[in-house]
Amino acid sequence: MVGVRPEAAEVSQPSSTAQVTDELLELSLGYLYSAALHSAARFALADHLAADPRTADELAEAAGLNGPHLYRLLRFLATKGVFREDDGGRFHLTPLAEPLRTDSEHSLRDYVMVRGEPVFWQSAAQLHEGVRTGTTAFENVYGVPFYDHIAADPDLSRAFNSSMAAFSEALSNGVVEAFDFGGFTTAVDVGGGRGGLLRAVLRGNPHMTGTLVDLESVVADHVLDVPELTGRWKAEAGDFFVSLPAGADLYLLKHVLASWPDEDCVRILRTCRRAMPAHGRLLVVNALIPAGNEPHAGKTGDVLMMTVLNGRGRTRAEYETLLATAGFTVTRVLDTSSHAAVVEAVVAP
């Protein structure tokens, strides 16, 4: 959808006063779906339904919950396709409910759990103040930047890092499938969290080795120590504003730049540039906001950044400008999903 003219992709509008009223009221209560999803994740409802469908009372007994209230929650979520009630009153898993399972191959339970925590709710409640003043809602509520607050709370830090790993896991394979890593032998995953992308890259490319770089508290819980990657990885504590391991063929920046304002993005990119050899490549993986009025993950993520971080979603042109300012030239862009386009860049002559 990148580059579509606004008039070419319009969202359908309700055709009657009643429909307008219904849709606007539904939108105004959207936070209830977030709360319901958080509750379903917190109580591991999808795990309890993994083997067989159950009635709300059966599920309540298994999970230690109130049966009538649980029924109302499940019925509500079923209106959006998360769980399904059959004629016998039993609730089933659905494709939208499967990722809420803890043991799902692409589980998003941790992500849904954390996005329902007060640090996100309370920040979203102050979005209006951020829009009025141009400040970050989270900092208005908590008085410190988001990452400083996270670092000071070990339990929240672990939960947040786990949630980002879940989000990353769901997208990393798409990046590996879209980009040809055949011509590269070494990679540095910059601010790579627990290393989900690097693990996917190394698994799909046995000829490669890689280094994960992030804060010490983050890399301590890395996911690289698996048998098939033995001897092919390093996990190093570091600061991408200061320095990075030098001389690798490929530097990866996945879902990093959207968390920071332009001036900090340029600092991160220049750190990458200093570490890169002349033949090196940089891959920036982020949503690219398209033109037009259609829903898009990049637009949603942009508002999330506005509430909790001093970052922002960006268009392709805006990423190209950032990269040029830091001394890079964009060579191509690969669309893998609405959450993760791959922008390839080289050091400018």
Side-chain angles (χ1 to χ4, degrees), residues 293-329:
N293 300 313
E294 288 188 329
H296 190 274
K299 299 173 185 179
T300 305
D302 182 45
V303 176
L304 177 62
M305 293 300 101
M306 190 161 57
T307 61
V308 297
L309 294 166
N310 192 19
R312 56 189 294 251
R314 296 178 176 88
T315 65
R316 172 174 176 168
E318 287 169 333
Y319 274 115
E320 288 177 339
T321 298
L322 277 182
L323 286 158
T325 302
F328 288 95
T329 299

Side-chain angles (χ1 to χ4, degrees), residues 3 23-24 29 35 40 58-59 76 83 86 96 163 170 178 240 253 341 348:
E23 290 196 21
L24 190 57
L29 296 172
E58 292 169 341
L59 189 55
F76 179 60
F83 307 116
D86 64 25
L96 276 178
S163 80
F240 51 42
L253 274 173

Side-chain angles (χ1 to χ4, degrees), residues 151 183 229 337:
L229 303 187
S337 75

Side-chain angles (χ1 to χ4, degrees), residues 83-154:
F83 307 116
R84 177 181 63 84
E85 183 182 8
D86 64 25
D87 292 339
R90 295 170 300 176
F91 285 91
H92 300 245
L93 288 180
T94 60
L96 276 178
E98 280 286 347
L100 292 175
R101 289 176 55 181
T102 306
D103 61 353
S104 172
E105 182 180 0
H106 301 296
S107 176
L108 289 172
R109 183 192 174 205
D110 288 348
Y111 186 89
V112 172
M113 280 272 290
V114 171
R115 293 320 177 275
E117 293 295 330
V119 288
F120 288 96
W121 278 100
Q122 293 176 5
S123 299
Q126 292 300 311
L127 176 60
H128 64 280
E129 186 65 13
V131 172
R132 185 181 73 82
T133 61
T135 56
T136 303
F138 181 92
E139 295 182 24
N140 293 335
V141 175
Y142 289 92
V144 295
F146 178 79
Y147 286 123
D148 290 351
H149 180 84
I150 291 290
D153 185 333

Side-chain angles (χ1 to χ4, degrees), residues 50-74:
D52 295 294
R54 297 185 181 188
T55 66
D57 285 339
E58 292 169 341
L59 189 55
E61 183 176 356
L65 306 174
N66 178 274
H69 275 55
L70 178 58
Y71 174 77
R72 292 159 67 185
L73 178 80
L74 292 167

Side-chain angles (χ1 to χ4, degrees), residues 47 79 129 137 331:
D47 289 355
T79 67
E129 186 65 13
T331 55

Side-chain angles (χ1 to χ4, degrees), residues 123-198:
S123 299
Q126 292 300 311
L127 176 60
H128 64 280
E129 186 65 13
V131 172
R132 185 181 73 82
T133 61
T135 56
T136 303
F138 181 92
E139 295 182 24
N140 293 335
V141 175
Y142 289 92
V144 295
F146 178 79
Y147 286 123
D148 290 351
H149 180 84
I150 291 290
D153 185 333
D155 290 337
L156 181 59
S157 178
R158 281 190 294 271
F160 176 73
N161 291 334
S162 181
S163 80
M164 292 308 299
F167 175 65
S168 176
E169 186 74 20
L171 302 174
S172 294
N173 289 337
V175 173
V176 173
E177 291 170 4
F179 186 82
D180 183 4
F181 292 86
F184 305 93
T185 59
T186 55
V188 175
D189 194 356
V190 180
R194 292 166 57 182
L197 176 58
L198 183 59

